[in-house]
Each structure stands twice: as structure tokens, then as C-alpha cells.
Amino acid sequence: MLSSAWLTDQRKIGLGLTAFGIFFTVLGMIMLFDRGLIAMGNLLFLAGLATTIGFQSTLVFFTKKKNRKGSAFYLGGCVLVVYGWTIIGLALEVYGFWLLFCEFFPTALQFFRRMPFMGRILDLPIIKTIINRLAPMGGLPTTNFQADTNGYKR
């Protein structure tokens, strides 16, 4: 059973703000790159991140030496979206987001792989090949059948 002690009311609010931020960003892209919706999504995402892990931890995360490049691209993209260069700004944001959060993707992939429906989709050979190339830390784990046919020993 999962303990709910880590999911305080503040973290619930933060996760909700983060989800709304992602929703507004996607909605802004669907509405032909509406800069108002995308800017609102950026603001909600950053507010949700700060509320979920704390302002000090967010500041430390964005200013770590290894995260400075990703932070510069993400925040620079946010500024470009506000100034009206929506497509270029969103492209910079996506690249910065990838640089900032790429080390968390293998963990998220492991979680999705254990879900019944998503696990089947992620096990499709084409999708698995793409994800294994994109995931920097080894991608998806191989199944027993694939490990035996590729010559890997246990």
C-alpha cells in the first residue's frame, strides 16, 4: 500500500497546477500556437513545480551547473513565447525541457511499462526502438524472450 504521507495538500495543489500547465500548453498548440494559452501553461507549469517540490528546491534545480543549459533554453523559450515568437519559443522550450528532465524519462518509462495498456503499446517493436534511441540511460528493459534471442546471458 502506498503511503499518502508524501502527498500533502501543498503537493496535491502543485501537481494540479503542473497538470493544468501541461494542459494549457497542449491546448495552445492545438489552437494554432496561441501565445496566450502557451504563456499561461508555462506560468502554471513553473508555479506547479515550485509548489510541488518547494521554491528553494526549484531554484536549486534550475541553477545546478549541469542544468544551466536546459534552464537557459526553457526560460528563453518562455520569454520568446511572451514576446510573440511562439513557434521558435516553443521549440526552445521543448529542447530545454528535454535537457532538464531527460534523466527522469527512464523512470517514467518503467512506470508506464508496468501499466497494462501502455505496456503493450511500449512493447511494439517500432516504438521500443525509438524509445531506446531517445532514452539516454538504456531505454526500456528487455523481456526474457528478447534477452534469450539476442544472446544475453542471465
Side-chain angles (χ1 to χ4, degrees):
M1 201 72 181
L2 183 64
S3 173
S4 65
W6 69 274
L7 194 59
T8 62
D9 286 339
Q10 181 178 354
R11 287 188 177 161
K12 289 178 187 176
I13 292 169
L15 290 173
L17 287 172
T18 304
F20 274 121
I22 293 170
F23 172 74
F24 275 105
T25 302
V26 170
L27 187 64
M29 290 187 315
I30 290 172
M31 296 292 194
L32 302 175
F33 297 98
D34 181 45
R35 80 174 180 178
L37 288 173
I38 294 174
M40 187 178 295
N42 292 336
L43 183 64
L44 287 171
F45 178 78
L46 291 174
L49 187 66
T51 306
T52 302
I53 65 174
F55 182 75
Q56 187 70 28
S57 297
T58 304
L59 200 58
V60 168
F61 176 75
F62 278 101
T63 57
K64 277 185 191 175
K65 187 172 183 173
K66 70 175 189 165
N67 291 345
R68 286 183 187 158
K69 184 178 177 182
S71 299
F73 275 103
Y74 183 77
L75 297 174
C78 291
V79 169
L80 285 178
V81 166
V82 170
Y83 281 116
W85 293 40
T86 310
I87 296 174
I88 295 170
L90 198 59
L92 288 177
E93 284 181 32
V94 169
Y95 181 66
F97 187 84
W98 174 260
L99 291 176
L100 285 170
F101 297 105
C102 67
E103 24 182 81
F104 301 118
F105 289 148
T107 304
L109 287 173
Q110 288 285 8
F111 173 75
F112 287 131
R113 193 164 196 288
R114 291 190 178 111
M115 296 173 78
F117 179 71
M118 288 299 294
R120 289 182 183 168
I121 292 173
L122 292 175
D123 273 340
L124 294 173
I126 293 173
I127 294 176
K128 193 172 215 175
T129 303
I130 292 170
I131 290 175
N132 284 338
R133 287 189 186 194
L134 291 177
M137 302 174 102
L140 295 174
T142 58
T143 59
N144 290 338
F145 175 73
Q146 291 170 334
D148 293 337
T149 59
N150 291 332
Y152 295 114
K153 304 283 182 182
R154 287 198 178 241

